[in-house]
Amino acid sequence: EAQLVQHLMEGHHGELPQAVSHLTGAMDEATRKRGEKLADAACGWLKARSAELIKDEKTKPQGVAAWYAVAGVRQAARQPDKEKAVYDEIIAALGADDDALGHLAQWYKNNQKREEARATYAKFKDTVAGKAAIAASYDEETPRQTDKAVAIYRELAADAATAPKWLPAAAWSYRQGGKPDPAIAVYRELLTADAKNASEYHFQIAETLYRAGRWKECITAYRGTDRFPHNYQHMAAAHRQLKEYDEAIALYRQIIASSMDKNLSAATYWEISQTQEAQGKKEDAIKTLKFICSTFPKTGSGSHAHARLNEVYKIPVTLLLKRCSLSPAIPPTFVTRAIGPAAPPGATGEPETSAGPGQVLSFTVQKVADTPPAVTRTVARTAPGRASSPARPRGRLRPRAGGRSRFM
């Protein structure tokens, strides 16, 4: 019962604000009136609940939370004046603590009254938090007032103890304001002021250059960082922007060689395929896409590769697999070769294609029309020798040399 108000306001429980917002945002007047009626009833109940809980010091925090919930419902109901009235009532009854002032300042910001919001933040008892909120409000404006925000962050970073906390905020403000060179200057300042975190600031310099589109400079900067594989990914992307495709692919291959994560490897092969396409090497790109399908069929990159082959290159989805697991993710028409392991693109030689009598060379899985998605039929083509009968779609298809294919 003590958490009843909290549950009412939460999106995964009562969803009271969502219901009010949905109704009051309707196009027809009758529905909007129902939403306003619900908001009034909810606020009446919440206020009565708040008054009851505030009487006892043990339950006073829940009572205050119920009072703020009244404001939340008014906000959801698109009633800004009534929402502000709630904050004024709370401040009059309980005093102007930083929490109440913060809610009131946010109301001013939501209603495009930023000077009033900053004046409210200036009343904070925690002056540092108040100044930081004022600086953030300058960063949030359109257009940004970056220099005013940085001036406050500099004021907060007045000594060696506070510099590591507030100088990064100043650098970030410069970055968000489209001023990479001043941001880099601040990070270089931090290399001395906060030497123990020098690796972080080297990385942020590289990130700043990357976001600014200064490709050659960022490649050089990333080389001195230790954020693998992120640094290699961005170096490769920068090389692609410079049309230095071979250098990009070399970096991607280094990521793959060091990765134990199949999703990362699959995503990196996907980037290789896109780089090959940009190079105009369509055949290499197709080989890479097929390799993704064969090696990482259950990853997101595998799905992308399937779609790319089908939609762009008009190639039926072909997987080079040792075995195949049928699932609802299999496209309606799906062809695969089950004759030996797939070789990575660029490897010498071709996949093994020989097969003994009765060994499955290929099979086609087709969705049967007008049947549930799980119903499929499988047709297996075998090498000369003992015939192979169609396998029943009960699980994984395992090719067996010298015998028929079967589902395990």
Side-chain angles (χ1 to χ4, degrees):
E1 185 181 354
Q3 295 184 350
L4 178 59
V5 172
Q6 178 184 344
H7 290 327
L8 275 174
M9 299 298 290
E10 287 177 346
H12 57 285
H13 284 114
E15 297 186 348
L16 175 58
Q18 288 86 344
V20 169
S21 178
H22 177 74
L23 292 171
T24 57
M27 297 296 292
D28 63 288
E29 183 68 20
T31 303
R32 286 199 300 273
K33 290 293 184 183
R34 285 198 294 271
E36 291 168 4
K37 185 176 180 180
L38 173 61
D40 290 340
C43 288
W45 183 87
L46 286 167
K47 198 165 182 179
R49 179 74 173 165
S50 171
E52 179 183 345
L53 292 170
I54 284 176
K55 293 177 183 177
D56 188 339
E57 283 298 320
K58 292 182 180 179
T59 58
K60 185 175 180 179
Q62 290 93 332
V64 174
W67 208 342
Y68 279 117
V70 175
V73 172
R74 292 302 184 190
Q75 182 184 37
R78 299 168 174 81
Q79 298 171 334
D81 292 341
K82 291 183 178 181
E83 179 191 356
K84 183 178 181 297
V86 176
Y87 297 135
D88 291 338
E89 290 172 4
I90 291 173
I91 291 172
L94 303 177
D97 62 13
D98 288 356
D99 189 28
L101 290 172
H103 279 86
L104 180 58
Q106 186 62 50
W107 182 90
Y108 281 126
K109 286 166 63 176
N110 291 344
N111 290 275
Q112 306 306 313
K113 298 181 178 182
R114 293 192 172 273
E115 289 304 325
E116 290 89 337
R118 285 190 273 268
T120 304
Y121 286 131
K123 297 177 183 177
F124 272 27
K125 292 181 176 63
D126 184 342
T127 57
V128 172
K131 289 179 179 179
I134 292 171
S137 74
Y138 284 125
D139 274 334
E140 293 164 356
E141 284 198 31
T142 303
R144 292 174 177 272
Q145 299 192 48
T146 300
D147 292 337
K148 290 183 178 180
V150 169
I152 295 173
Y153 290 132
R154 285 265 182 206
E155 181 185 345
L156 293 171
D159 56 56
T162 57
K165 179 176 182 179
W166 297 111
L167 285 182
W172 181 254
S173 182
Y174 276 132
R175 285 171 63 175
Q176 296 300 100
K179 298 182 177 182
D181 288 320
I184 291 170
V186 174
Y187 287 130
R188 293 194 186 284
E189 184 180 343
L190 281 161
L191 291 174
T192 302
D194 188 23
K196 67 178 182 296
N197 291 311
S199 63
E200 170 65 21
Y201 304 128
H202 280 300
F203 175 72
Q204 292 302 333
I205 289 171
E207 287 282 278
T208 304
L209 291 166
Y210 180 84
R211 299 300 176 188
R214 290 157 62 169
W215 309 120
K216 287 186 177 294
E217 293 175 81
C218 82
I219 290 169
T220 301
Y222 276 124
R223 288 195 183 113
T225 65
D226 57 359
R227 297 297 182 85
F228 184 87
H230 181 100
N231 52 357
Y232 275 50
Q233 290 169 331
H234 276 198
M235 287 165 66
H239 278 300
R240 287 167 65 177
Q241 292 291 333
L242 295 168
K243 301 188 185 305
E244 297 170 349
Y245 300 117
D246 290 338
E247 290 85 345
I249 290 174
L251 287 166
Y252 286 136
R253 293 199 182 282
Q254 290 182 58
I255 294 172
I256 292 166
S258 302
S259 174
M260 300 296 291
D261 183 340
K262 69 177 182 180
N263 290 303
L264 174 60
S265 295
T268 306
Y269 273 118
W270 169 260
E271 295 298 334
I272 289 175
S273 75
Q274 299 308 288
T275 306
Q276 290 165 333
E277 286 187 3
Q279 271 183 298
K281 297 183 176 180
K282 304 299 184 184
E283 292 301 320
D284 288 346
I286 290 170
K287 288 180 182 178
T288 303
L289 291 169
K290 287 181 177 180
F291 178 69
I292 296 170
C293 292
S294 71
T295 312
F296 310 103
K298 295 184 180 180
T299 64
S301 298
S303 298
H304 293 321
H306 281 271
R308 193 78 176 167
L309 286 168
N310 282 314
E311 296 170 9
V312 176
Y313 295 105
K314 310 303 179 185
I315 297 174
V317 177
T318 301
L319 303 184
L320 300 176
L321 294 173
K322 294 179 181 178
R323 64 185 183 183
C324 176
S325 176
L326 295 184
S327 72
I330 293 177
T333 300
F334 179 88
V335 181
T336 184
R337 287 165 59 191
I339 47 173
T348 58
E350 295 295 329
E352 177 62 44
T353 58
S354 61
Q359 182 174 349
V360 174
L361 289 177
S362 67
F363 61 90
T364 302
V365 181
Q366 297 177 316
K367 186 176 179 181
V368 180
D370 302 322
T371 58
V375 178
T376 62
R377 65 168 177 264
T378 302
V379 179
R381 182 172 64 85
T382 63
R386 188 169 60 176
S388 173
S389 60
R392 289 179 296 171
R394 296 185 302 176
R396 297 192 306 273
L397 180 65
R398 177 178 296 176
R400 300 177 64 195
R404 66 182 63 186
S405 61
R406 55 180 292 192
F407 279 82
M408 301 302 293

